[in-house]
Amino acid sequence: MSQFIEDGAKYLLDNPDIAPNSAAYLWNKKMMVQVSCRGYAVGQFMQPEPAKYAHIPSLAAKSFMQPEQPYFSHHPGRFFYVRDDETGEMFSAPYEPMKVKLDDFKFIPGLSDVTWVAQKFGIEITIRLTLVNDEVAEVYQVSVKNLSNKPRKISLIPYFPVGYSSWMNMGGDFDKELNAVVCTCISPYQKVEDHFKQKHFKDITYLTADRTPNSYEVALQKFEGDGGLHNPSALQDKQNLTNGNALYEMPACIMQFELELASNQQEDTTLLFGPAFDKAEIKNLKAKLFDGSLNDKIHDYEDYIHSGNGCFDIHTPDDQLNNFVNNWLPRQVFYHGDSNRLSTDPQTRNYLQDAMGMAYIKPDSTRASILHALSQQESSGAMPDGILLTDEAELKYINQIPHTDHPVWLTIVIEAYLNETADWAILDEQVKWGDSDEITSVYDHLSRAMQFLIKERDHRGLNYIAQGDWCDPMNMVGYKGKGVSGWLTEAVSFAIQKWAKVCVIKNDQTQADQLNQTAQEINKCINNELWDGNWYGRGITDDGVIFGVNADKEGKIFLNAQSWALMCGAPSDDQKQKMFNAIDEQLNTPYGVMMYAPAYTAMRDDVGRVTQKWPGSAENGSVYNHAAAFYASSLYQLNESDKAFDVLRKMISGPNDADIKQRGQLPVYIPNYYRGAYYQFPRTAGRSSHLFNTGTAAWFYRLTCEEMMGLKGCPEGLNIQPKLPSQWQEAHCTREFRGAIFNVRYIKSDNDALRVDVNAETITDSIIRDIKANTTYDVVVYF
Ligand code: CEZ
């Protein structure tokens, strides 16, 4: 049985076979590490670009996280062989690489640590992984306990492979003075100029401990021998490690600690693993962390994670949802907003939506992000493809490909920020432009962004797509400069209507009228050009071919083109019904709503590389949770509360083991996608990408707070309009808002009209006004 424990602050998986690749992640501002229940790991740090310190033997981009990361026996991981030195019996923890069936197994992701417990042959090993703030190092606190009633001689052999770090130069040795295995390499390069960039790289990977090993090994091949990782030659026949080094041989950090344990005795060891520039850095880190203050530093890290607690707690009839929303969802939102996904040039739309999530966690950070993004806006109103976070940062990879949607997200993030804070003064902040010395107000920046979007339309009134919109890999619809995005056109209509509301508050009725009128015109164009009879098409290619329509064999119906049409108010009631029917029939699955269907099985060179992704993976027709969240948003806007809840709820894996098994993932984060192509490939449908980078987190959090629980800020105060699923009879929510605390009880009543009692008095409408900070409000909502 796998389940939440400790009020949802931890999760327990007690079997490594249910979801073998299920994983948890930890991060600080400089690094992140994702670890699987079986001990595989993907670690990354910033120098200042993302880099790895333990490598795969070959293949694989070094900088970004890979979806559905395939693990194989030599994949990087953090493993511990445990051997009875008298009998020679051995197992490995957490589970790989030996895969000996354990008497007890526990994988316990926590909010700021990850723990494994493995038991076999009367020996128990507990491994706890944590990080500390501001350091790039994985901290392992390992204890080995003799559970039997006689003294035992037990070897603990951490095996941390470093992998193929460089074809130019790699090796390693044990450093006695440091008490560390130190593996070195030269990051490969060919251009002279790269030498000057890379010579500051942390090309060392080390493993150090707070106790001296009896022996060690650094050459992977010598350790493994013919026995293989599941029975390494170096440990067979009760042999001990023979202190070997690695000389242009695949390095691994391996130490042997020989422990003599009385019955029930336990020995603790702390290990540090990570990258370093030189030995002095390792020495300094050891001095800092092994000076008796490690537990304090781990507490500081816990405090850091807790500083990202969200602004509300829910108590609904759905425990799994409560546990997820109260603990893991805000944590994921905080991860995105505080680390910027550990990149130096986040995609603009990601940067803005991650900042949107922070409005509910640390609104000052949202404010700073909005101002920072706007300082890179072009004076035309356009937004760059990525936001540079440091002076040295450059636009790389996908950010060198022109996407046309970026300004759209500005109004969405600013709306969330204003809802939460009512900080209208932000609109008068003066901000520079990316390409001129001019300095103008935030209000002007946003207005220009909207006017820019309005202008970037073709003769049909539809927005150009260039080499992509929200959908990154839809790169060939409009690369010749003519193709248009139906989705973007809808998003523009939606964004300018939102902005019109702000214009009204700013007494700029002229612009408000113009925006609203333009939105009406755009909606007409959408209906004229893109309505296909039962749903809206996704776009029109450079050659004038509409796609995402019934006539298409693959990519017939796209979710985004429906969700945003609903959001911008394009369809009539009759059209809406047809769209819902089509979505339910063609896109809905037990694992969520697919982004489109059927998934493409062959390249369409007038749509682009999205059609080349594996059908049902990523944007090619998966349950792409970010897109599903947009759909949920559109459903809440239309008061389709049950449908919206269903969409959100399906993003959380479990609670039963069958669902966890199919998805392969624990409910400790929402993944970028679950496999779709439900009708094409049912066997793999639902399988998680295991990517925890996704704009979904911010949307899910916002929707739960503002829509489902209905606690949305407005200029006057807190507007209470719950949209709870109809099967709930009652619920409870504690919400921090503008410095006050609201204890809200929801009670289902027979009366259709909403009634809100604040401190035992019924208020006339649903808005709580004149909120006083540092006050607790008792609210009862009869819905
Ligand atoms: O990246 C995300 C982007 O970060 O894809 C989303 C987009 O809106 C986000 O901004 C949808 O396209 O092939 C690609 O280039 C993909 O675009 C991926 O990099 C994609 C991945 O899912 C990464 O997590």
Side-chain angles (χ1 to χ4, degrees):
M1 188 50 193
S2 79
Q3 59 190 313
F4 280 111
I5 54 173
E6 296 183 20
D7 253 349
K10 288 195 153 76
Y11 194 86
L12 168 65
L13 176 73
D14 62 4
N15 181 338
D17 296 329
I18 295 176
N21 287 356
S22 63
Y25 67 99
L26 297 174
W27 84 96
N28 65 24
K29 292 205 184 232
K30 293 189 173 157
M31 68 173 291
M32 65 94 188
V33 58
Q34 184 172 31
V35 285
S36 81
C37 71
R38 290 178 168 220
Y40 290 113
V42 182
Q44 225 159 264
F45 73 106
M46 306 294 282
Q47 64 166 357
E49 295 303 329
K52 295 210 158 69
Y53 46 95
H55 310 267
I56 284 170
S58 58
L59 174 110
K62 293 204 172 200
S63 58
F64 32 88
M65 308 271 303
Q66 306 296 312
E68 304 191 38
Q69 181 77 61
Y71 299 120
F72 45 91
S73 62
H74 285 79
H75 190 281
R78 321 291 184 246
F79 308 107
F80 297 83
Y81 291 90
V82 180
R83 188 179 71 181
D84 181 319
D85 287 341
E86 286 156 325
T87 64
E89 284 175 321
M90 190 159 73
F91 67 98
S92 65
Y95 185 69
E96 302 275 348
M98 289 184 73
K99 304 181 220 191
V100 170
K101 295 292 164 217
L102 300 167
D103 296 337
D104 189 27
F105 169 88
K106 293 191 179 80
F107 173 55
I108 311 174
L111 299 171
S112 51
D113 65 0
V114 181
T115 304
W116 295 262
V117 181
Q119 228 188 73
K120 187 76 187 171
F121 309 127
I123 306 169
E124 181 180 83
I125 170 168
T126 305
I127 304 157
R128 180 182 182 224
L129 164 64
T130 57
L131 301 182
V132 291
N133 294 329
D134 304 318
E135 303 290 351
V136 183
E138 300 171 18
V139 180
Y140 290 88
Q141 295 172 305
V142 185
S143 55
V144 179
K145 190 171 181 184
N146 172 10
L147 301 177
S148 58
N149 51 16
K150 55 169 193 199
R152 310 269 298 264
K153 290 188 175 162
I154 295 165
S155 274
L156 170 70
I157 304 127
Y159 154 67
F160 285 37
V162 172
Y164 192 20
S165 45
S166 166
W167 47 263
M168 280 179 60
N169 179 325
M170 64 176 184
D173 207 345
F174 183 76
D175 184 301
K176 265 215 168 91
E177 200 200 324
L178 279 175
N179 193 44
V181 172
V182 179
C183 302
T184 55
C185 78
I186 306 288
S187 287
Y189 69 96
Q190 276 145 345
K191 296 182 195 147
V192 172
E193 60 266 31
D194 287 343
H195 164 66
F196 296 100
K197 279 189 212 150
Q198 299 189 181
K199 69 181 194 178
H200 306 291
F201 278 9
K202 292 181 196 280
D203 273 348
I204 287 177
T205 304
Y206 67 88
L207 177 69
T208 186
D210 64 351
R211 76 164 62 219
T212 311
N214 299 75
S215 50
Y216 59 84
E217 181 55 71
V218 188
L220 170 64
Q221 190 47 47
K222 189 160 157 222
F223 174 71
E224 182 182 350
D226 285 352
L229 288 177
H230 60 283
N231 188 19
S233 295
L235 298 176
Q236 286 175 17
D237 305 323
K238 303 183 203 169
Q239 290 178 86
N240 295 330
L241 300 182
T242 54
N243 301 346
N245 56 13
L247 306 173
Y248 196 53
E249 292 159 307
M250 194 93 86
C253 301
I254 314 167
M255 297 183 187
Q256 181 171 1
F257 302 97
E258 295 174 32
L259 311 172
E260 296 199 10
L261 296 178
S263 169
N264 271 316
Q265 192 192 338
Q266 167 180 322
E267 282 279 355
D268 301 331
T269 308
T270 300
L271 300 161
L272 306 177
F273 181 65
F277 175 68
D278 57 13
K279 289 187 175 182
E281 192 178 328
I282 305 173
K283 196 171 167 189
N284 288 341
L285 185 75
K286 283 188 69 178
K288 265 197 238 170
L289 299 187
F290 286 166
D291 65 350
S293 70
L294 181 61
N295 283 331
D296 293 341
K297 298 211 161 77
I298 291 174
H299 281 142
D300 292 345
Y301 177 64
E302 286 165 8
D303 289 345
Y304 164 68
I305 298 292
H306 281 300
S307 76
N309 282 352
C311 63
F312 68 97
D313 264 333
I314 57 169
H315 303 277
T316 75
D318 186 338
D319 273 343
Q320 182 95 343
L321 179 80
N322 301 341
N323 285 326
F324 181 72
V325 167
N326 296 342
N327 297 287
W328 300 88
L329 181 59
R331 175 185 189 265
Q332 194 176 0
V333 174
F334 180 50
Y335 154 74
H336 283 84
D338 204 51
S339 74
N340 289 300
R341 310 182 185 200
L342 292 168
S343 62
T344 58
D345 63 329
Q347 289 174 265
T348 301
R349 80 177 77 79
N350 294 1
Y351 182 73
L352 292 172
Q353 290 171 90
D354 293 349
M356 175 175 95
M358 286 298 258
Y360 307 90
I361 291 183
K362 287 182 193 286
D364 287 350
S365 144
T366 309
R367 187 181 217 270
S369 297
I370 293 170
L371 299 181
H372 183 69
L374 291 179
S375 74
Q376 295 178 20
Q377 186 180 7
E378 289 164 31
S379 42
S380 63
M383 289 297 286
D385 271 276
I387 301 297
L388 302 175
L389 300 184
T390 62
D391 291 344
E392 308 81 53
E394 290 166 12
L395 295 182
K396 297 177 299 298
Y397 304 112
I398 194 76
N399 288 339
Q400 296 173 334
I401 317 287
H403 290 71
T404 46
D405 62 310
H406 295 295
V408 156
W409 309 98
L410 285 169
T411 49
I412 296 172
V413 56
I414 214 157
E415 182 196 45
Y417 176 72
L418 292 172
N419 283 355
E420 209 47 25
T421 61
D423 170 22
W424 294 88
I426 192 177
L427 299 177
D428 300 322
E429 282 289 344
Q430 300 294 308
V431 182
K432 74 173 186 67
W433 293 82
D435 57 356
S436 85
D437 294 333
E438 203 191 351
I439 295 185
T440 69
S441 68
V442 165
Y443 182 74
D444 181 51
H445 275 260
L446 268 284
S447 297
R448 264 197 238 179
M450 295 306 110
Q451 300 303 335
F452 174 80
L453 289 169
I454 292 171
K455 192 169 64 55
E456 289 297 294
R457 292 179 302 142
D458 73 348
H459 60 282
R460 294 166 292 214
L462 305 176
N463 279 84
Y464 292 112
I465 184 170
Q467 290 183 43
D469 53 22
W470 169 89
C471 185
D472 275 344
M474 193 175 271
N475 61 341
M476 288 166 76
V477 170
Y479 73 106
K480 297 179 194 155
K482 290 191 183 149
V484 290
S485 162
W487 166 77
L488 180 56
T489 311
E490 297 161 357
V492 168
S493 166
F494 176 70
I496 64 177
Q497 291 176 61
K498 288 245 174 267
W499 191 241
K501 293 198 176 127
V502 177
C503 296
V504 172
I505 293 171
K506 287 290 284 178
N507 286 322
D508 184 355
Q509 195 60 45
T510 318
Q511 187 176 195
D513 291 345
Q514 178 244 343
L515 292 175
N516 282 328
Q517 200 195 325
T518 308
Q520 291 319 311
E521 286 162 20
I522 293 178
N523 286 3
K524 262 194 211 133
C525 302
I526 293 168
N527 278 314
N528 288 342
E529 306 291 339
L530 296 162
W531 180 251
D532 183 47
N534 286 301
W535 62 81
Y536 290 96
R538 176 62 171 83
I540 303 174
T541 69
D542 280 322
D543 304 323
V545 177
I546 185 168
F547 68 101
V549 292
N550 194 35
D552 286 317
K553 268 209 171 72
E554 298 181 336
K556 250 179 198 298
I557 170 169
F558 281 68
L559 185 61
N560 275 345
Q562 319 318 316
S563 314
W564 291 73
L566 295 169
M567 289 205 259
C568 77
S572 65
D573 285 346
D574 175 54
Q575 286 173 301
K576 282 178 202 162
Q577 206 42 57
K578 289 181 170 152
M579 290 156 74
F580 287 141
N581 292 344
I583 292 169
D584 289 344
E585 261 166 42
Q586 299 180 56
L587 299 178
N588 213 351
T589 84
Y591 309 105
V593 204
M594 297 185 285
M595 196 173 120
Y596 58 74
Y600 293 100
T601 57
M603 173 67 160
R604 241 192 94 161
D605 59 14
D606 59 350
V607 174
R609 76 183 166 88
V610 63
T611 65
Q612 295 178 298
K613 293 198 176 187
W614 182 266
S617 79
E619 292 93 336
N620 191 5
S622 74
V623 173
Y624 206 89
N625 284 316
H626 196 192
F630 299 150
Y631 181 47
S633 180
S634 72
L635 291 168
Y636 277 125
Q637 195 182 309
L638 298 177
N639 287 317
E640 294 280 349
S641 312
D642 282 340
K643 269 184 183 295
F645 181 71
D646 184 57
V647 173
L648 291 180
R649 191 63 187 77
K650 282 176 174 165
M651 294 182 187
I652 309 170
S653 62
N656 59 53
D657 280 358
D659 188 73
I660 303 256
K661 198 175 173 129
Q662 183 65 18
R663 298 188 195 241
Q665 162 160 353
L666 310 180
V668 295
Y669 59 86
I670 296 180
N672 175 262
Y673 69 82
Y674 294 110
R675 289 264 201 113
Y678 181 71
Y679 298 103
Q680 292 158 285
F681 298 116
R683 179 170 70 79
T684 46
R687 189 179 286 177
S688 167
S689 65
H690 298 290
L691 293 174
F692 51 86
N693 282 347
T694 169
T696 316
W699 282 78
F700 195 137
Y701 203 67
R702 181 175 179 184
L703 291 175
T704 312
C705 179
E706 293 188 345
E707 304 299 332
M708 188 171 89
M709 304 318 286
L711 303 173
K712 192 194 300 198
C714 62
E716 304 86 3
L718 184 63
N719 191 359
I720 304 197
Q721 298 282 349
K723 296 176 186 168
L724 302 174
S726 57
Q727 76 268 24
W728 291 357
Q729 301 302 312
E730 56 182 335
H732 186 267
C733 180
T734 311
R735 164 86 149 105
E736 280 175 53
F737 181 72
R738 298 188 193 164
I741 304 276
F742 295 82
N743 280 321
V744 188
R745 272 181 65 202
Y746 302 80
I747 300 172
K748 195 162 191 149
S749 74
D750 296 335
N751 199 336
D752 267 356
L754 184 75
R755 186 180 121 195
V756 179
D757 290 1
V758 181
N759 299 332
E761 271 180 45
T762 303
I763 56 173
T764 47
D765 59 9
S766 59
I767 299 176
I768 306 180
R769 296 182 166 76
D770 301 320
I771 293 167
K772 293 189 183 48
N774 304 313
T775 309
T776 301
Y777 293 79
D778 280 315
V779 183
V780 185
V781 182
Y782 299 92
F783 67 101

